[in-house]
Amino acid sequence: MRYLFISLLLLPLIAISQTDTEIFLFDIEATSTTISVKNGMNISNNIGYDSQPSFLDDRYVVFPSTRNEQTDIAKYDTRYNGKIWINFSEGSEYSPLKIPNKHEFSAVRLDKDGKQRLYAYSLSNGKSSELIKDLVVAYYTWFDENTIVSAVIENDQLNLYVSNLTTGTNKKITSNVGRSFHKIPDSDLVSFISKTNKNQWQIKSLNPKTGKVKIIANTLKGVEDICWLNSKTLLLGKDNILYKLRLQKDNNWKKIADLSTFGVTKITRLATNASGTKLLLTGDIIVDTTATEIAEETIVDNSDATRIAMEENAIKIVQKHIEPFNNRQLDEFVYTFDSNILVNRFPRAKMYSGRNMLREHYRLFFKKNKKSHVKVINRMTHKNMVIDEELVTIDNTTSRQVTIYETDADNIKIMTFISNSKTDANPEYIVDEQLEVYNNRDINGFVKTYADDVMLFTFPYTLNTEGHEALKNQYAAFFKSTPDLNAEIVNRIVIGNKVIDKEKVLVNGKTIYAIAIYEIQNGLISRVTFIQ
């Protein structure tokens, strides 16, 4: 199988509750009088440190996240709800921001020798270069592609500097500032938090060109994390409450949302996208670790007895729906599906959900078509999943399709159709070539079988890896550490430009089974979806 296998480490924990930080993404709806946040979701879902999120653009989010006992930069795709890692240094990175007008991002890096500096990283290959050599930058923002406004660590406090990357100059503006820096929308100003008055922190503006500073507003007591929704509206979080302040309109901060329903006990870092329609924030949540074990990047226990029992049960469940379909027995057919059945077209097009919708769909189908019959011509299974290659006859027309069934203890809970399609070439050639170089642990040959913009997913559509460079970085170490690596095809279905393989893989003495769905475009593998 052509994905990364990682060793099983189960760590028992003492029975306690502890605070964890997670990244939350919300939709924002704003009118002239109201602001509401909706559709909140935890996008980090990671034990450990997750904080300081920012938008690369309207699609991608970046944030530092714990991985292998250090903090690296994760990129989250809001379209596919998937996370990949975009840097591979030995140090820990924090505070990632998109560099204006460049295909790069910046981050504060803390190396293992204690050196802390601000670096630029290529979004293409992750390579880095130091931006400011002489300052220990803690927090910052970009004014333009050549100017950085930052909080610099000096004598146990944070002081504000403006750095010009073109001239290499660093100018100190003021002392005792906070960690929140933002370019103010539709202006030539940057906001920062002044802590000069210990009793009342203030939001101030800075013109980096002139050095002029002005007071904007007071923060709520003890709060230093804010962001701008637009040029006139500020957002701030205190404990689990989100507030807003409309300049020249609101006399004080107004409550707009209680995020305790998401388990958030404390709101810290905030960021909005350029259009003001999305909000990112870091939220402290309470994690109950009582009687739990943490699996750190695990391989699921894949013992033959457990796997075979699951697969036999899944086959029985799926088989139950075929006879009533062929006999056009609507009630018997419908009740082989879960009450909340979800029906999709591969890879991620939802058709409908719920048993009532399923009933209505097939009532109309049986009414419209006088004859209907399905015959399974190939079947592969993995745990609670069944993938059937089917010949479907409707009236006098027979076609071939593939259906993925995901089962629970008693019923089919998800049904995903893969339709046949025309293709100009045999898609098996490149998949077989990939298998050969995979077994030879030839990293360069392996990467060459994939398209430049390849995407690897976990079924149904969780994005794990994107692009050649990320693919190479992940698999190079895997190949090096797995001398006995060998994959063989147990079963295969080919439909249109897709090759579906059930694979048996030997990894450091362990045998693993999984299913991979390869999609081929222009003679290369453009997308892989793994069922693990």
Side-chain angles (χ1 to χ4, degrees):
M1 181 158 208
R2 266 74 82 197
Y3 59 87
L4 217 54
F5 296 93
I6 312 170
S7 62
L8 179 65
L9 296 172
L10 291 177
L11 303 178
L13 295 183
I14 299 172
I16 57 174
S17 291
Q18 61 187 26
T19 300
D20 190 22
T21 57
E22 299 285 0
I23 307 299
F24 291 85
L25 176 66
F26 295 87
D27 293 329
I28 300 179
E29 293 184 2
T31 68
S32 59
T33 58
T34 63
I35 299 173
S36 60
V37 293
K38 299 181 178 180
N39 305 321
M41 60 185 298
N42 181 342
I43 66 171
S44 51
N45 280 314
N46 179 53
I47 295 174
Y49 180 85
D50 302 278
S51 188
Q52 303 172 323
S54 66
F55 288 93
L56 288 179
D57 51 33
D58 277 349
R59 176 176 173 180
Y60 292 108
V61 169
V62 288
F63 56 91
S65 182
T66 299
R67 174 176 66 156
N68 298 333
E69 299 183 351
Q70 71 175 44
T71 302
D72 292 326
I73 305 303
K75 182 173 76 169
Y76 180 85
D77 188 334
T78 62
R79 183 180 301 173
Y80 293 108
N81 300 324
K83 181 177 76 173
I84 63 173
W85 303 97
I86 58 174
N87 73 298
F88 305 93
S89 73
E90 293 185 356
S92 289
E93 279 82 9
Y94 303 89
S95 301
L97 291 175
K98 176 71 169 60
I99 300 178
N101 304 318
K102 294 184 179 180
H103 192 59
E104 297 176 340
F105 72 95
S106 54
V108 174
R109 186 163 85 204
L110 179 61
D111 290 323
K112 292 184 177 180
D113 62 4
K115 178 183 177 181
Q116 179 172 315
R117 292 292 186 269
L118 184 65
Y119 286 81
Y121 297 79
S122 168
L123 281 165
S124 298
N125 56 33
K127 292 182 179 179
S128 63
S129 59
E130 195 172 358
L131 287 169
I132 304 174
K133 294 184 177 181
D134 302 323
L135 300 180
V136 182
V137 174
Y139 310 100
Y140 69 100
T141 195
W142 289 88
F143 175 70
D144 58 34
E145 61 187 278
N146 297 310
T147 309
I148 297 171
V149 178
S150 65
V152 174
I153 301 173
E154 291 180 324
N155 300 320
D156 297 325
Q157 73 174 14
L158 296 177
N159 298 327
L160 191 153
Y161 276 78
V162 175
S163 299
N164 187 310
L165 301 184
T166 302
T167 62
T169 57
N170 304 304
K171 182 179 180 180
K172 183 177 178 178
I173 303 297
T174 188
S175 301
N176 201 10
V177 298
R179 65 192 181 192
S180 183
F181 290 83
H182 297 276
K183 179 78 182 294
I184 301 176
D186 304 320
S187 78
D188 288 328
L189 304 174
V190 169
S191 68
F192 67 96
I193 305 299
S194 172
K195 295 185 175 180
T196 304
N197 183 340
K198 295 181 180 180
N199 296 319
Q200 180 58 73
W201 295 347
Q202 295 176 315
I203 304 167
K204 294 184 177 182
S205 68
L206 165 70
N207 185 323
K209 296 178 180 178
T210 65
K212 189 173 182 179
V213 174
K214 291 184 177 181
I215 296 175
I216 298 175
N218 293 330
T219 73
L220 291 178
K221 186 174 179 60
V223 176
E224 61 176 317
D225 294 310
I226 61 103
C227 72
W228 294 86
L229 180 60
N230 52 52
S231 62
K232 296 295 183 182
T233 307
L234 286 153
L235 301 178
L236 170 151
K238 182 176 176 62
D239 298 328
N240 55 7
I241 305 299
L242 187 66
Y243 296 84
K244 62 95 174 176
L245 180 70
R246 292 186 188 273
L247 301 180
Q248 300 174 349
K249 185 174 182 181
D250 293 336
N251 294 324
N252 48 48
W253 292 91
K254 307 289 186 182
K255 174 183 173 180
I256 58 174
D258 181 345
L259 303 187
S260 62
T261 55
F262 295 91
V264 174
T265 61
K266 183 180 180 181
I267 300 166
T268 53
R269 313 306 179 82
L270 302 102
T272 56
N273 63 346
S275 58
T277 58
K278 301 283 186 182
L279 171 67
L280 286 167
L281 60 85
T282 301
D284 287 9
I285 63 173
I286 299 298
V287 179
D288 185 3
T289 61
T290 303
T292 62
E293 291 180 323
I294 300 174
E296 295 185 346
E297 295 187 321
T298 64
I299 292 177
V300 177
D301 181 7
N302 206 13
S303 66
D304 282 345
T306 302
R307 177 179 55 81
I308 291 170
M310 292 177 68
E311 292 174 356
E312 287 178 347
N313 186 59
I315 289 172
K316 290 178 182 178
I317 291 169
V318 171
Q319 193 65 30
K320 287 191 301 183
H321 88 290
I322 294 177
E323 184 175 347
F325 175 87
N326 289 340
N327 293 333
R328 305 166 72 82
Q329 297 168 314
L330 183 59
D331 287 341
E332 290 85 346
F333 172 76
V334 167
Y335 278 96
T336 63
F337 295 86
D338 188 86
S339 60
N340 296 312
I341 176 68
L342 176 63
V343 182
N344 298 321
R345 288 199 182 279
F346 185 85
R348 56 169 299 161
K350 178 181 176 181
M351 297 173 64
Y352 53 87
S353 61
R355 189 183 284 156
N356 290 336
M357 289 295 295
L358 180 85
R359 176 190 293 276
E360 181 62 14
H361 176 86
Y362 280 94
R363 184 186 69 80
L364 295 174
F365 174 85
F366 288 149
K367 181 178 180 180
K368 179 180 178 181
N369 303 289
K370 295 181 179 180
K371 296 180 181 179
S372 56
H373 185 273
V374 63
K375 179 181 180 181
V376 177
I377 58 175
N378 191 7
R379 170 173 283 168
M380 61 178 68
T381 57
H382 183 63
K383 298 179 182 175
N384 68 325
M385 309 282 284
V386 175
I387 301 181
D388 280 351
E389 182 180 8
E390 301 165 340
L391 285 180
V392 181
T393 301
I394 301 175
D395 292 335
N396 296 318
T397 302
T398 299
S399 60
R400 191 166 60 93
Q401 70 177 24
V402 171
T403 307
I404 303 172
Y405 301 94
E406 184 173 352
T407 65
D408 55 24
D410 302 302
N411 300 108
I412 299 167
K413 65 178 184 178
I414 302 176
M415 181 167 61
T416 303
F417 295 107
I418 304 177
S419 300
N420 201 354
S421 59
K422 292 183 179 180
T423 181
D424 296 327
N426 187 343
E428 292 182 88
Y429 293 153
I430 192 66
V431 175
D432 289 341
E433 181 181 339
Q434 183 229 206
L435 175 64
E436 181 178 354
V437 293
Y438 178 87
N439 286 337
N440 291 334
R441 297 183 295 143
D442 175 2
I443 187 61
N444 292 324
F446 176 75
V447 171
K448 285 180 181 178
T449 62
Y450 289 85
D452 289 345
D453 58 350
V454 63
M455 294 188 290
L456 307 187
F457 293 79
T458 299
F459 184 85
Y461 42 77
T462 298
L463 179 64
N464 297 316
T465 304
E466 182 176 11
H468 259 190
E469 199 68 28
L471 184 76
K472 186 172 184 178
N473 286 329
Q474 291 187 31
Y475 280 87
F478 173 58
F479 286 171
K480 187 176 180 180
S481 64
T482 317
D484 64 347
L485 181 64
N486 185 76
E488 60 181 272
I489 308 304
V490 177
N491 194 357
R492 171 173 284 181
I493 297 171
V494 180
I495 185 162
N497 70 328
K498 299 173 183 67
V499 176
I500 307 171
D501 282 345
K502 180 171 184 179
E503 301 172 336
K504 177 182 178 182
V505 188
L506 181 65
V507 181
N508 291 329
K510 293 182 179 291
T511 299
I512 310 296
Y513 290 88
I515 292 172
I517 304 172
Y518 299 94
E519 298 179 56
I520 315 304
Q521 296 289 342
N522 300 318
L524 295 172
I525 301 168
S526 61
R527 175 186 176 120
V528 188
T529 302
F530 297 112
I531 299 175
Q532 300 175 233

